[in-house]
């Protein structure tokens, strides 16, 4: 199965009609945020302080 992209003429036509994908939302996270979210969970903190 082969997929072909748009031709330059098709791109120009869509841009002219403002049919483009633009987002103003910044949805990316920093490496620090990702590490903190995945390592500093309630369960990991509880296990760290566990004294069994």
């Amino acid at each position: 199965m082969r997929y072909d992209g748009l031709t330059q003429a098709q791109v120009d036509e869509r841009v002219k009609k403002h049919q483009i994908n633009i987002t103003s939302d910044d949805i990316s996270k920093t490496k620090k945020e990702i590490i903190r979210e995945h390592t500093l969970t309630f369960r990991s903190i509880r296990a760290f302080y566990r004294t069994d």
Side-chain angles (χ1 to χ4, degrees):
M1 183 174 258
R2 180 183 163 132
Y3 295 101
D4 294 319
L6 298 173
T7 65
Q8 188 60 47
Q10 291 170 320
V11 171
D12 294 338
E13 183 67 26
R14 289 183 185 205
V15 169
K16 182 179 174 182
K17 292 180 179 180
H18 301 286
Q19 296 176 335
I20 53 178
N21 295 328
I22 297 177
T23 180
S24 61
D25 297 335
D26 185 19
I27 57 171
S28 63
K29 296 181 181 179
T30 65
K31 290 179 183 178
K32 183 178 179 180
E33 290 172 327
I34 294 169
I35 291 169
R36 183 174 23 130
E37 287 181 8
H38 291 280
T39 58
L40 296 178
T41 63
F42 174 74
R43 181 174 283 166
S44 65
I45 293 169
R46 187 179 67 177
F48 182 75
Y49 287 107
R50 194 170 187 166
T51 58
D52 287 348

